[in-house]
């Protein structure tokens, strides 16, 4: 059995370019699909957030129009309600890679607000990469990589092949012209070797021990890729 750390955003809003606070959180499918895959395989999941705050699900991610129907929405809600780990997160500053076998970051717009500049998350990301243990990051969560830059702008993730939420997908949900910055642009500047697939379709990239996915539909396939090495 592997111990897997899920690092979730603690943000409940995302500050847009005009100062508006758009309600957000973590994206339901990006938590539920990997959580279900890992726990069904017999692995243990622990949740951590900045400050140990109870994470908030983005209500948009539970809309039938986003999930593919009312039945899927209800299944996601039920899975979230049953996940006791979500109600007792550890403070991110109290966790380290030595206690875990893998780390996974689900997205949602929340990481754009907090994990993109969180020093504790940055420390954990650097530790995990150096450890050689699997590190999975999906959709908007690669924003957390931006915080790993040092005072000289250097990051251990430079040159890694990664996927993440694309500019075209951000435009598709109506935020491309409202955001302070776009994830695809910032990942390219980091610099990483960013790539993407067709909008809304599963697309994952594996580079050494780093597993990244483009969008919500990529979270399940990303977990399956990680399971190959965890088992």
């Amino acid at each position: 059995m592997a111990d897997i750390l899920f690092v979730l955003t603690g943000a409940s809003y995302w500050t847009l370019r005009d100062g508006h606070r758009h309600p957000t959180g973590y994206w339901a499918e990006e938590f539920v699909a990997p959580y279900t895959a890992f726990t069904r395989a017999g692995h243990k999941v622990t949740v951590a957030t900045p400050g140990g705050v109870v994470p908030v699900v983005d209500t948009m991610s539970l809309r039938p129009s986003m999930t593919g129907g009312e039945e899927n929405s209800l299944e996601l809600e039920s899975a979230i309600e049953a996940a006791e780990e979500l109600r007792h997160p550890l403070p991110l500053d109290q966790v380290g890679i030595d206690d875990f076998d893998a780390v996974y970051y689900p997205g949602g717009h929340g990481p754009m607000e907090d994990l993109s500049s969180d020093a504790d998350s940055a420390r954990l990301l650097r530790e995990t990469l150096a450890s050689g243990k699997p590190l999975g990051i999906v959709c908007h969560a690669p924003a957390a990589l931006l915080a790993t830059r040092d005072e000289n702008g250097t990051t251990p993730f430079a040159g890694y092949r990664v996927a993440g939420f694309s500019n075209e997908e951000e435009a598709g949900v109506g935020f491309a012209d409202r955001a302070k910055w776009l994830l695809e642009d910032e990942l390219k500047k980091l610099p990483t070797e960013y790539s993407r697939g067709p909008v809304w379709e599963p697309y994952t990239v594996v580079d050494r021990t780093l597993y990244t996915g483009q969008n919500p539909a990529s979270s399940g396939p990303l977990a399956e890729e990680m399971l190959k090495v965890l088992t």
Side-chain angles (χ1 to χ4, degrees):
M1 179 186 75
D3 290 323
I4 306 171
L5 179 67
F6 274 41
V7 179
L8 272 67
T9 175
S12 60
Y13 62 84
W14 176 33
T15 306
L16 301 177
R17 188 167 53 191
D18 63 0
H20 173 72
R21 291 183 170 185
H22 172 71
T24 187
Y26 68 89
W27 199 259
E29 181 181 1
E30 295 169 24
F31 171 81
V32 171
Y35 176 85
T36 301
F38 292 142
T39 55
R40 282 182 178 172
H43 302 305
K44 178 185 176 184
V45 167
T46 299
V47 171
T49 64
V53 301
V54 175
V56 176
V57 64
D58 190 326
T59 56
M60 184 184 297
S61 68
L62 295 172
R63 294 178 186 174
S65 59
M66 290 289 183
T67 65
E70 185 72 26
E71 183 177 350
N72 291 337
S73 293
L74 292 174
E75 288 180 357
L76 286 171
E77 287 186 35
S78 295
I80 288 170
E81 290 174 3
E84 188 66 24
E85 297 89 345
L86 285 170
R87 284 173 283 284
H88 304 284
L90 298 176
L92 195 50
D93 64 354
Q94 295 181 20
V95 300
I97 190 56
D98 290 346
D99 297 322
F100 301 96
D101 301 298
V103 176
Y104 168 71
Y105 279 64
H109 280 110
M112 303 277 280
E113 183 72 23
D114 60 355
L115 297 182
S116 62
S117 58
D118 189 278
D120 295 311
S121 171
R123 170 191 53 79
L124 179 66
L125 288 168
R126 289 190 292 263
E127 287 179 357
T128 306
L129 193 68
S131 75
K133 297 177 181 179
L135 171 60
I137 316 176
V138 74
C139 200
H140 285 93
L145 300 182
L146 305 180
T148 64
R149 291 173 291 195
D150 63 19
E151 61 276 9
N152 299 314
T154 302
T155 170
F157 291 90
Y160 270 77
R161 293 183 292 110
V162 303
F165 205 63
S166 68
N167 290 353
E168 186 178 0
E169 287 164 322
E170 202 70 85
V173 293
F175 290 110
D177 59 352
R178 301 175 63 193
K180 291 181 179 179
W181 46 270
L182 297 176
L183 180 60
E184 177 181 334
D185 294 343
E186 294 305 310
L187 289 176
K188 289 176 178 176
K189 293 175 187 175
L190 197 55
T192 64
E193 294 184 20
Y194 174 88
S195 65
R196 47 156 290 187
V199 294
W200 312 124
E201 294 186 17
Y203 182 77
T204 60
V205 173
V206 180
D207 188 350
R208 288 157 279 183
T209 57
L210 179 63
Y211 298 73
T212 54
Q214 180 175 322
N215 48 34
S218 306
S219 57
L222 185 72
E224 293 301 324
E225 288 293 328
M226 293 180 69
L227 278 173
K228 293 177 183 178
V229 296
L230 289 173
T231 55

